[in-house]
Amino acid sequence: MDPSDFLPVRFHYGGEFMFSRGQLHYVAERTALSYIELDKISLPEIIGFLSDHMPVSGLLHLHWLYPGKQLSDGLRFLLDDNACIEMANHMSNNGQVAEIYVEHVAIDEGQDDNQIADWGYDMVEADDEAKSDSEAEAELHPTVVLCIDKKGKLKPRRASSQILEKPEDVDGPETNSNPEGQVSNSSDSDYRQPIEQNSSGDDEEAEQLRKFAKEIKRNIRARKLGVHSSQAVEILDDALVPENINLEDDGSPYYNSSDDYSYEENSEGETIRWKSTNNRFHKNASVHVFSLGMAFRSSRQFKKALVKYGLTTHRHIIFPKDERDKDNPTWKVEHIKKSVLKDMLADVSISKCKRAKALVLQEALDKTRGEYSRVYDYQLELLRSNPGSTVVVTLNPDILDKKVFERFYGLLKAVAELIPRVEHRMCARHIYANWRKKYTNQKLQKKFWNCAKSSCRELFNYNRAKLAQDTPQGAKDMITTAPEHWSRAFFQLGSNCDSVDNNMCESFNNSIMDSRFFPVISMNEAIRCKVMVRIANNRTKADKWQGTICPNIFKKLKLNIERSGQCYVLWNGQHGFEVQEKEKKKYTVNLGQKTCSRRYWQLLGLPCCHAISAIYKASKQLDDYIASSFSISEYMNTYQHCLQPVEGQDKWPVSDMTKPHPPAYVKMPGRPKTQRTREPTEKPKGAKVSKVGIKMRCKLCHQTSHNSRTCARNKEDGSKRNGYIRRDATRKRKQSEATTSAAATSFTMGDVGTQ
C-alpha cells in the first residue's frame, strides 16, 4: 500500500464554533483520523468515513481548514466533489493532514420560508418572468457568503450585488426583523415575496401548502448537492460552480412545487402548477450531476455527458455494443429476410433474398480481384512496417504465357524437408475415429484413450493388455497405427507438451474460417489483425497475473498437490525417494535428476503427485522443480515481439515487378459446405445448448441446493411432492375404464348378433 495514494483526514466533531476576542474557536471537540483513497475522494466518501466515528443525522456543515491559516480566515466549505478534490490537491502538494470540522445545525420546523431560504438556494418564482435578464441571472446564480455573528455562529447568507460591491461588517449589529417575519434591510428583499397572512377560511389549506412547499424545497436543495435530504449541507460562495444557463430555452415540461404560491388557476377555474426547467441538462457544467427524469436533446448528447463525467470523476463506463454484423458473407438467407422485414417493413421472398445475396457476393468478388495485382506492393509494405519479416510471393510455374499467382496448400512436405529431425505427432482423436469404424463397441473407447495417455511404456503395455482382453484383434490393429506418433509413452522428452490431440490447430482454423473465403491480401490482413490483437490481449492479461507460474498451469499443479496427499514417501537421505500411491503402485523419484519412474514429470516439465510428495518430504521449494517455460516471465518473453501496424493501400510502396493475374476460379458442383463432415458414429450437432454443469437456482429463496418445487417456502409443496403417484393412479384408472368399456361394447354386440 503506497501512502501517497491516500489522504489523511482528521475529523473534528462533537463541538461547536465560538467567537472570542476576535478569534474563532472550536470547543468541546473530539477528533478521529481516517485515510481516504485519493482516487475515490468525494463528498459522499468523506461523509461515509465520518459515519464510522459518529452518527450522521440532521443537517451538517463540513468545513476544511486551509493550510497555514487560522479558523477565522482559513475555513472553506465542502460543498461538492470539486471542493473535496481542491482540498485533496492542497493537502497532497503540501504533505499535510486535512483538518475537517463538523458543525451541527439545528432546524426549527416552525421557521418560515424567509429563514429557511437563508440556508441555501431559493427557487425562481413564476412572477419573476417579467424581470430583466440580468436580474433573472443574478437570482439563478446567488452568492453565498460566510458570516460570523456575535455569538460565534457561522451563518451563510446570500448577498446581492450591493453587498458584493461593499462588504458587510460582520462584527456590526445584526439586522432586526419586524414582528411579521419580513426582513426590511436584507438583501433578499429585492426578489423575495412576503408571506401573506391568510385570514380567510382557507387558512388550514394554505398552511398545508406551506408545509408541502418546505419539504419540496428541502428535497430540491439536497438533490442539487447529491445527498439525502437529511444530510443536506449549505452552499458557500467559493464552492459555487457557474453554469451557462440558456434562459431563452423553455426546456422540458417538468413541474416544480418549491413554493406554496407556485399554484394558479386556469381559465376553467382548476388549480395548476407552473412549469419549471430545473431538471434540464446543462452541457457547460464542469461536473455533471444526473438525476432521474433529466431531459436530453438526443442520445448523442447523453453519451457525451457520460463520457465527460467518467473522465472528470475517473470512472470507467462500459457501453454495450451492437453485435449485429451485416458485413458477413456467411449471413443466412433467413436472417436477411427477418432483417429486411424489421428495418424496411418489406416482406420479401426467400428466392429474392438469395438473388440479392448472390449479387452482393459477386460484386464483392469483383472488387477484390484487383488484390492479386498488388501482392508485390503488399510484400514491400510488410517488409517496411515489420523489419526482419520474411515474405515470399510464388507464381504458378505451369503457366508460361502470363504470370499467375500460385495457391499454397499444406505444409507437411515443407516441414519434412526443412526440419526432418523434429518430432511428428498425430491426433489421437482422428486415429480413434478410424479405428472405431471396425470396432464400434462404446466400452472400448475409454481403454483406447488409456493407451493414448499412458506416460510410460510399462503403463502402455498394461492398458493394451486390458484392451486385448475385450478385443485381441483390435489391440493388434492399434499397434499397426504407429503409436509412437499419438501415445505419450513414446513421445520425445524436452518439449514440455503432453498433448495427444490437435485441438490447438483446430481452434486456430476455426478462428480464421471466415477469412479463408477472402482473396489473398484480405485473408492475410484479417489473420494479421487477429494475431496482432491476440498478442496485445495476452500481454495485457499477463500484466495482471500475480506469482511466478501461469494460472492455467497452477490449476494443474493444484490437482497434483491434492493427489500427493494420498502418497506415502520413503527418503534415502539424499536425492532418492520411494513413493507409494494407493496399495500396489510404487514409483521412484530422483530430485537431483528431476525424474520420476512414471515419466510424466519428464514429459510435461510439471512435477507429478509423486514428485510433489518427495519435494515436500525434503522440505524443498516447489517452484525450483517446475520448468521455466511455465513461468510468467517466459510467457511475457513469448509475446515480447508485437506486430507493427500497416498503412492503407493508398500509401503502399509501388513495386517494379510485373503484376500477377488471379488464379482461375473453379466453382465446384453442389452447395458449398459450411460445416465439417462428421464421423458415422459421431453425434450430430445439437440444436439446444447443453445444461450440463449449470447450477439450478430456486426462484423462491435463490438457493442452489433445491428447486422451487421442493422449497420450504412453496405453499403447494405437499400437493406437488407426490403428484406422480396420483398421475399414475389416474392413468391406470382411465386404462381400466377404457378396457371395461370396450369389453362391455363387445358383449353388447354379441347379444345383438345372438338375437
Side-chain angles (χ1 to χ4, degrees), residues 330 513 516-517 668-678:
T330 60
M513 181 62 68
R516 294 170 60 184
F517 294 97
M668 303 301 293
R671 181 173 295 179
K673 296 181 179 179
T674 58
Q675 297 181 356
R676 67 177 180 86
T677 303
R678 295 181 176 270

Side-chain angles (χ1 to χ4, degrees), residues 441-577:
N441 191 355
Q442 184 68 24
K443 297 180 180 180
L444 304 178
Q445 179 181 6
K446 186 176 181 180
K447 296 184 178 181
F448 179 90
W449 281 104
N450 289 337
C451 296
K453 296 184 179 181
S454 301
S455 58
C456 59
R457 297 192 180 186
E458 294 79 9
L459 188 60
F460 175 81
N461 294 330
Y462 173 75
N463 291 325
R464 186 174 64 89
K466 294 183 64 176
L467 178 64
Q469 293 178 357
D470 296 336
T471 168
Q473 187 62 32
K476 293 180 181 180
D477 293 344
M478 184 187 66
I479 296 298
T480 60
T481 58
E484 62 270 10
H485 294 300
W486 53 267
S487 178
R488 291 176 180 174
F490 304 93
F491 285 173
Q492 298 179 9
L493 303 180
S495 61
N496 293 337
C497 178
D498 63 339
S499 179
V500 297
D501 50 29
N502 201 25
N503 287 343
M504 291 184 290
C505 295
E506 295 293 343
S507 300
F508 178 77
N509 291 334
N510 183 54
S511 64
I512 64 173
M513 181 62 68
D514 297 338
S515 305
R516 294 170 60 184
F517 294 97
F518 299 154
V520 56
I521 295 181
S522 299
M523 179 187 65
N524 283 281
E525 277 295 288
I527 297 175
R528 184 189 62 82
C529 293
K530 283 182 177 292
V531 174
M532 182 174 63
V533 173
R534 177 178 173 82
I535 292 175
N537 292 339
N538 289 340
R539 287 168 59 91
T540 305
K541 178 177 62 176
D543 290 337
K544 301 178 182 179
W545 290 347
Q546 298 179 357
T548 58
I549 307 300
C550 296
N552 290 337
I553 302 300
F554 187 69
K555 291 180 181 179
K556 292 184 177 181
L557 189 63
K558 287 171 62 178
L559 296 178
N560 292 338
I561 292 175
E562 292 179 1
R563 289 184 56 190
S564 65
Q566 302 176 359
C567 298
Y568 179 72
V569 185
L570 296 178
W571 185 20
N572 68 348
Q574 292 181 348
H575 301 293
F577 296 86

Side-chain angles (χ1 to χ4, degrees), residues 147-151 155 157 167-177 183 185-186:
C147 301
I148 304 175
D149 56 10
K150 289 184 177 181
K151 298 180 180 180
K155 183 178 182 182
R157 299 185 60 185
E168 186 180 34
D169 187 6
V170 298
D171 294 334
E174 296 182 354
T175 304
N176 298 325
S177 58
V183 181
N185 297 329
S186 174

Side-chain angles (χ1 to χ4, degrees), residues 116-156:
I116 297 177
D118 287 337
W119 298 342
Y121 286 114
D122 280 343
M123 304 307 299
V124 180
E125 298 145 8
D127 292 341
D128 295 337
E129 296 179 357
K131 297 183 180 181
S132 62
D133 295 341
S134 60
E135 292 177 332
E137 185 176 1
E139 293 179 5
L140 287 175
H141 299 280
T143 303
V144 181
V145 297
L146 189 64
C147 301
I148 304 175
D149 56 10
K150 289 184 177 181
K151 298 180 180 180
K153 299 291 185 179
L154 293 176
K155 183 178 182 182

Side-chain angles (χ1 to χ4, degrees), residues 322-340:
D322 188 2
E323 298 295 341
R324 294 187 304 172
D325 187 11
K326 297 185 178 181
D327 299 330
N328 186 5
T330 60
W331 201 15
K332 295 184 178 180
V333 181
E334 294 79 5
H335 296 169
I336 297 177
K337 177 180 174 63
K338 293 180 181 179
S339 299
V340 172

Side-chain angles (χ1 to χ4, degrees), residues 567-572 575-581 585-590 610 613-614 617:
C567 298
Y568 179 72
V569 185
L570 296 178
W571 185 20
N572 68 348
H575 301 293
F577 296 86
E578 288 184 7
V579 182
Q580 182 177 356
E581 183 182 8
K585 296 181 180 180
K586 182 181 291 186
Y587 305 95
T588 60
V589 177
N590 192 308
H610 317 108
S613 302
K617 183 68 175 180

Side-chain angles (χ1 to χ4, degrees), residues 8-16 26-35 49-54 63 65 71 97-102 104:
V9 177
R10 181 181 290 108
F11 292 102
H12 301 261
Y13 60 93
E16 60 178 352
Y26 191 75
V27 297
E29 64 174 345
R30 288 181 293 175
T31 60
L33 188 64
S34 299
Y35 294 90
F49 275 90
L50 177 61
S51 62
D52 297 339
H53 309 294
M54 59 166 289
H63 312 274
L65 183 61
L71 292 179
V97 179
E99 306 288 344
I100 296 181
Y101 293 85
V102 182
H104 292 268

Side-chain angles (χ1 to χ4, degrees), residues 265-363:
E265 294 183 356
N266 56 7
S267 58
E268 299 178 358
E270 299 177 354
T271 303
I272 60 175
R273 292 180 292 184
W274 292 328
K275 295 181 179 180
S276 175
T277 60
N278 268 344
N279 213 13
R280 190 74 177 177
F281 172 74
H282 304 297
K283 63 179 182 180
N284 295 327
S286 59
V287 179
H288 298 312
V289 179
F290 302 94
S291 61
L292 186 62
M294 180 174 287
F296 296 84
R297 287 195 299 269
S298 62
S299 60
R300 185 180 299 273
Q301 186 190 36
F302 175 66
K303 184 176 181 179
K304 289 183 178 180
L306 290 179
V307 171
K308 184 178 179 181
Y309 175 79
L311 294 175
T312 306
T313 58
H314 306 286
R315 288 181 171 90
H316 182 64
I317 301 176
I318 301 177
F319 296 95
K321 297 181 179 179
D322 188 2
E323 298 295 341
R324 294 187 304 172
D325 187 11
K326 297 185 178 181
D327 299 330
N328 186 5
T330 60
W331 201 15
K332 295 184 178 180
V333 181
E334 294 79 5
H335 296 169
I336 297 177
K337 177 180 174 63
K338 293 180 181 179
S339 299
V340 172
L341 180 61
K342 180 180 179 181
D343 299 340
M344 303 181 181
L345 302 179
D347 189 8
V348 295
S349 61
I350 295 293
S351 59
K352 185 174 293 186
C353 293
K354 290 181 179 179
R355 292 194 299 270
K357 181 179 179 181
L359 292 175
V360 173
L361 292 179
Q362 184 63 34
E363 184 179 358

